[in-house]
Amino acid sequence: MKGLTREQEKRVEDLLSRMTLEEKIGQMNQESPSIVGGFDVPFAELIEMMTDGRISKEEFQKIMEGAKQDYHEDEIRKGGVGSLMVQDPVKVNELQKIAVEESRLGIPLIFGLDVIHGFRSVYPIAIAEAGSFDTDLFERTARMAAKESRAAGVAWHFAPMLDVARDARWGRVSEGPGEDPYLGSEFARAKVRGLQNDHSSTENYVAACLKHYVGYGACEAGRDYNTVSMAMHLFYNAYLKPFEAAVDEGAMTVMAAFNDLNGVPCTVNEFLLRKTLKESLGFPGFVVSDANAIRECVVHGIAEDDRDAGIKAALAGMDMDMGTEIYSKELKSAVEEGLLPMEVIDEAARRILSVKMWLGLFDNPYVSEEAMARYKVLPKEHRDLALEAAEKSVVLLKNEGNVLPLKEDARISLVGTLAESREEIIGAWAMSWKEEDCVTIRAGMEETFKNLRYFRCGGPEGDINMDEVLSAGDYGDVIVAVLGELVSMSGEASSKADITIPGRQRELLEMLMHTGKPVVLLLMNGRPLALDWEYNYVPVIVEGWQLGIEMGHAVANVLSGRVNPEGRLSSSFPAMTGQCPVYYNHMNTGRPGSKSKFTSRYLDAPLDSLYPFGYGLSYTSYEYSGLAVKEEGDALEIDVTVKNAGGRDGRETVQLYMQDVTASLVRPVKELKAFRKAELKAGESKSIHFTLPKKDMGFYDNEKVYRLEDGLFRIYAGGNSRDCLMEEIRVAF
Ligand code: BGC
């Protein structure tokens, strides 16, 4: 396998030659600790009770603490488990000891976990971090997360999540880098480098797991787990792109998606797993199913029973079964009966063992005492990085009357239950954070603003406290209202049919506006929201997402102007939910939407997004001029001048887009092709240069032929996907 020395490869082959069929299948089995009781109702019902509110999250947690867990020790001893989801280093060592010292061949376990946006140091959710357009940052946060998790024994991250996501109703838009395949690919590459490339010690890197392969983000109507149908040109040019980039960067594992793609669930999709990923892209590592997904192929109606599903998945190229034990129970007899070739098992076991070898688990299976103690207190540089990431991800959407930045001695009424919460700054899929590390918005703001008072008033849940609203209006010269979504409203299984600000928060906003004081709406949310009303009536809107442990400081720094905001939207924001999916890089039509009736538009909603991809303001302003495009050899050489026309230094994200005007297939109206960060002092101008290789100007057709077609191209440069300068050029390839 790429990445292994000859010696390591030999060790893998030697092991394989000594393994029984059961032991090989054991490697293909991933377990989580099973809850085996300690409470009176079945576990599934308990989860339901929490989801529908019959018991609170706290009650649920209490019950879970008292629950008995089975860590599958006997199975590990027999060589029947290849991987486990555990994050407690003491438990990791205990289970690893059984695998290494008590199983026949001593093959170590690989411990995996959802480390999507940080381990102990939680960074902004991915949709927010992607908006920093800072590939170096993407890499550094991943590297830090790898080190932190490895010190807890977790050598495998179920990340990065790379689903191109264009429908904000889908709750999982929060977990990935947004709507654009190019930004998604840059994010993918950087994350893989950050997670995997620091081999100065085995404690510094982990295996990445690209998920969810593939097309999950295009689930119909934005409803989680729903069916996915797409034309193949869209598959190759958009949805596959970030995965392709990450495999090229050397990613070691991939997780198949829950959904079907054009009728075949990804879990049993030979075209996707074997043909495309392993054969065509040359992916050397192993593929794991999503949780319980092999069994779900029966429900999909694509397999008759567990056994049939297991055989189909293995044949398709699925190397590891997450959570169903179907492989353990069914594959041995399937091989013995000639239903599954032995080579399929050998290949899967070889891939899994190779990744374990690459991780150094055979030589360093345990977490050292020193590593366990390393992050007892979060080191300053980890906190600093969390703060940097959070600051760079804040997006200023509107700043009418230059209400922002706020003076540090301004009288501020801080409003909203979200402002006080530690949990809500963290975002979906973070499991290893500690309360003591979290800086709430209230805490961060109180450190900076001397005359700030807090009034709860209301939030995503519950009622509005009118007395508090009136007091907030009386006290502050300005009101900062922290409103938006709870963490539980985005992430997995959290699709929504209405993505306006939930609950009674709009009413609350109206009441705050009625106080006559200027209102700064600071949003916390895990998806793009439909902000038509807010856009029309609220003077200042700041997109704060869920920025992780340092959110409080980051927000205070941006609102006070200590930091000039530079974050951009990695996903377009609709004006109204009914516009979803709305994304800048949509296909052209024969009747592009306009004011006239028989065009592609709605009668009752605007044509375009409210805030487009790439959008974000700062406390200065930038002017673009002098876009020049010329063809030189194998590339287009592009220059554009960007001027900081305001009174503050800043960092602008200069974006380069392209349109293939005439092609043999309809092409998107714009496609991001490159971006650069430009540091500009107040008043300074810089010429920004891009080289666009002509080989990158093509596209795949439905038969996967990559086409470079002569003709007219439009080149756009600007500070977001809508407001750009444009030049046309004819290109011959
Ligand atoms: C999610 C995956 C996750 C897995 C393991 C599934 O429900 O879809 O993204 O990695 O659980 O926790």
Side-chain angles (χ1 to χ4, degrees), residues 85 114 158 172 211-212 255 258 290-291 322 429 492:
M85 280 192 229
D114 291 279
F158 303 141
R172 303 199 81 167
K211 71 185 191 187
H212 305 84
M255 184 186 294
F258 284 123
D290 204 338
M322 183 187 281
W429 284 119
E492 188 176 353

mmCIF file of all heavy atoms in Angstrom, residues 85 114 158 172 211-212 255 258 290-291 322 429 492, ligand 1:
data_model
loop_
_atom_site.group_PDB
_atom_site.id
_atom_site.type_symbol
_atom_site.label_atom_id
_atom_site.label_comp_id
_atom_site.label_asym_id
_atom_site.label_seq_id
_atom_site.Cartn_x
_atom_site.Cartn_y
_atom_site.Cartn_z
ATOM 1 N N MET A 85 -15.403 2.135 18.718
ATOM 2 C CA MET A 85 -15.576 3.578 18.930
ATOM 3 C C MET A 85 -15.492 3.852 20.426
ATOM 4 O O MET A 85 -16.467 3.638 21.150
ATOM 5 C CB MET A 85 -16.945 4.013 18.432
ATOM 6 C CG MET A 85 -17.019 4.191 16.961
ATOM 7 S SD MET A 85 -18.569 5.022 16.579
ATOM 8 C CE MET A 85 -19.155 3.961 15.298
ATOM 9 N N ASP A 114 -16.077 10.338 15.763
ATOM 10 C CA ASP A 114 -16.455 11.521 14.992
ATOM 11 C C ASP A 114 -15.751 12.751 15.560
ATOM 12 O O ASP A 114 -16.239 13.360 16.499
ATOM 13 C CB ASP A 114 -17.972 11.714 15.053
ATOM 14 C CG ASP A 114 -18.684 10.623 14.299
ATOM 15 O OD1 ASP A 114 -18.772 10.720 13.077
ATOM 16 O OD2 ASP A 114 -19.115 9.644 14.940
ATOM 17 N N PHE A 158 -13.595 10.141 11.872
ATOM 18 C CA PHE A 158 -14.619 10.017 10.824
ATOM 19 C C PHE A 158 -14.826 11.405 10.229
ATOM 20 O O PHE A 158 -15.888 12.028 10.360
ATOM 21 C CB PHE A 158 -15.917 9.462 11.396
ATOM 22 C CG PHE A 158 -15.751 8.127 12.082
ATOM 23 C CD1 PHE A 158 -16.447 7.837 13.245
ATOM 24 C CD2 PHE A 158 -14.898 7.165 11.568
ATOM 25 C CE1 PHE A 158 -16.303 6.617 13.886
ATOM 26 C CE2 PHE A 158 -14.741 5.937 12.197
ATOM 27 C CZ PHE A 158 -15.443 5.667 13.367
ATOM 28 N N ARG A 172 -27.420 18.412 7.906
ATOM 29 C CA ARG A 172 -25.996 18.091 7.900
ATOM 30 C C ARG A 172 -25.156 19.074 7.090
ATOM 31 O O ARG A 172 -23.953 18.884 6.968
ATOM 32 C CB ARG A 172 -25.788 16.651 7.431
ATOM 33 C CG ARG A 172 -26.547 15.667 8.290
ATOM 34 C CD ARG A 172 -26.058 14.252 8.177
ATOM 35 N NE ARG A 172 -24.889 14.034 9.008
ATOM 36 C CZ ARG A 172 -24.383 12.832 9.298
ATOM 37 N NH1 ARG A 172 -24.962 11.736 8.816
ATOM 38 N NH2 ARG A 172 -23.322 12.703 10.064
ATOM 39 N N LYS A 211 -16.152 11.272 4.177
ATOM 40 C CA LYS A 211 -17.546 10.844 4.207
ATOM 41 C C LYS A 211 -18.423 11.984 3.713
ATOM 42 O O LYS A 211 -17.969 13.125 3.683
ATOM 43 C CB LYS A 211 -17.931 10.411 5.623
ATOM 44 C CG LYS A 211 -18.049 11.561 6.627
ATOM 45 C CD LYS A 211 -18.314 11.040 8.010
ATOM 46 C CE LYS A 211 -18.700 12.174 8.939
ATOM 47 N NZ LYS A 211 -18.823 11.771 10.329
ATOM 48 N N HIS A 212 -19.618 11.700 3.265
ATOM 49 C CA HIS A 212 -20.196 10.364 3.156
ATOM 50 C C HIS A 212 -20.219 10.078 1.664
ATOM 51 O O HIS A 212 -20.870 10.826 0.920
ATOM 52 C CB HIS A 212 -21.606 10.333 3.727
ATOM 53 C CG HIS A 212 -21.654 10.840 5.163
ATOM 54 N ND1 HIS A 212 -21.742 12.164 5.497
ATOM 55 C CD2 HIS A 212 -21.605 10.172 6.349
ATOM 56 C CE1 HIS A 212 -21.780 12.290 6.824
ATOM 57 N NE2 HIS A 212 -21.696 11.118 7.369
ATOM 58 N N MET A 255 -15.876 6.562 4.243
ATOM 59 C CA MET A 255 -17.137 6.023 4.758
ATOM 60 C C MET A 255 -18.210 6.160 3.683
ATOM 61 O O MET A 255 -18.395 7.245 3.129
ATOM 62 C CB MET A 255 -17.574 6.789 6.014
ATOM 63 C CG MET A 255 -18.829 6.223 6.673
ATOM 64 S SD MET A 255 -19.415 7.272 8.047
ATOM 65 C CE MET A 255 -18.090 7.082 9.219
ATOM 66 N N PHE A 258 -25.292 6.721 3.510
ATOM 67 C CA PHE A 258 -26.524 5.966 3.760
ATOM 68 C C PHE A 258 -27.397 5.828 2.505
ATOM 69 O O PHE A 258 -28.075 4.842 2.308
ATOM 70 C CB PHE A 258 -27.395 6.714 4.779
ATOM 71 C CG PHE A 258 -26.940 6.633 6.203
ATOM 72 C CD1 PHE A 258 -26.675 7.784 6.935
ATOM 73 C CD2 PHE A 258 -26.841 5.415 6.848
ATOM 74 C CE1 PHE A 258 -26.301 7.724 8.265
ATOM 75 C CE2 PHE A 258 -26.463 5.341 8.192
ATOM 76 C CZ PHE A 258 -26.194 6.495 8.899
ATOM 77 N N ASP A 290 -21.532 3.298 6.843
ATOM 78 C CA ASP A 290 -22.043 4.179 7.884
ATOM 79 C C ASP A 290 -22.777 3.304 8.910
ATOM 80 O O ASP A 290 -23.012 2.110 8.681
ATOM 81 C CB ASP A 290 -22.936 5.282 7.304
ATOM 82 C CG ASP A 290 -22.979 6.499 8.238
ATOM 83 O OD1 ASP A 290 -22.692 6.338 9.438
ATOM 84 O OD2 ASP A 290 -23.303 7.606 7.778
ATOM 85 N N ALA A 291 -23.143 3.898 10.029
ATOM 86 C CA ALA A 291 -23.682 3.118 11.143
ATOM 87 C C ALA A 291 -24.931 2.332 10.735
ATOM 88 O O ALA A 291 -25.914 2.926 10.263
ATOM 89 C CB ALA A 291 -24.010 4.055 12.302
ATOM 90 N N MET A 322 -19.848 -1.182 10.043
ATOM 91 C CA MET A 322 -20.011 -0.385 11.259
ATOM 92 C C MET A 322 -21.304 -0.779 11.961
ATOM 93 O O MET A 322 -22.403 -0.447 11.511
ATOM 94 C CB MET A 322 -20.034 1.117 10.937
ATOM 95 C CG MET A 322 -20.120 1.994 12.188
ATOM 96 S SD MET A 322 -20.353 3.754 11.841
ATOM 97 C CE MET A 322 -18.721 4.278 11.398
ATOM 98 N N TRP A 429 -21.898 17.177 16.602
ATOM 99 C CA TRP A 429 -20.777 16.235 16.481
ATOM 100 C C TRP A 429 -19.498 16.713 17.154
ATOM 101 O O TRP A 429 -18.427 16.755 16.531
ATOM 102 C CB TRP A 429 -20.432 15.951 15.022
ATOM 103 C CG TRP A 429 -21.358 15.031 14.321
ATOM 104 C CD1 TRP A 429 -22.098 15.349 13.220
ATOM 105 C CD2 TRP A 429 -21.649 13.651 14.617
ATOM 106 N NE1 TRP A 429 -22.839 14.258 12.823
ATOM 107 C CE2 TRP A 429 -22.582 13.201 13.668
ATOM 108 C CE3 TRP A 429 -21.221 12.753 15.599
ATOM 109 C CZ2 TRP A 429 -23.095 11.916 13.652
ATOM 110 C CZ3 TRP A 429 -21.734 11.464 15.592
ATOM 111 C CH2 TRP A 429 -22.655 11.061 14.626
ATOM 112 N N GLU A 492 -27.022 15.572 12.073
ATOM 113 C CA GLU A 492 -27.749 14.416 11.543
ATOM 114 C C GLU A 492 -29.197 14.387 12.027
ATOM 115 O O GLU A 492 -29.504 14.774 13.157
ATOM 116 C CB GLU A 492 -27.035 13.122 11.955
ATOM 117 C CG GLU A 492 -27.644 11.918 11.269
ATOM 118 C CD GLU A 492 -26.909 10.619 11.559
ATOM 119 O OE1 GLU A 492 -25.841 10.647 12.187
ATOM 120 O OE2 GLU A 492 -27.437 9.565 11.138
HETATM 121 C C1 BGC B 1 -23.223 9.250 10.817
HETATM 122 C C2 BGC B 1 -21.749 9.302 10.505
HETATM 123 C C3 BGC B 1 -20.939 8.984 11.728
HETATM 124 C C4 BGC B 1 -21.367 7.646 12.270
HETATM 125 C C5 BGC B 1 -20.568 7.196 13.475
HETATM 126 C C6 BGC B 1 -23.619 8.000 11.569
HETATM 127 O O1 BGC B 1 -24.912 8.089 12.052
HETATM 128 O O2 BGC B 1 -23.950 9.336 9.621
HETATM 129 O O3 BGC B 1 -21.415 10.561 9.985
HETATM 130 O O4 BGC B 1 -19.577 8.993 11.417
HETATM 131 O O5 BGC B 1 -22.731 7.721 12.627
HETATM 132 O O6 BGC B 1 -20.826 7.935 14.587
#
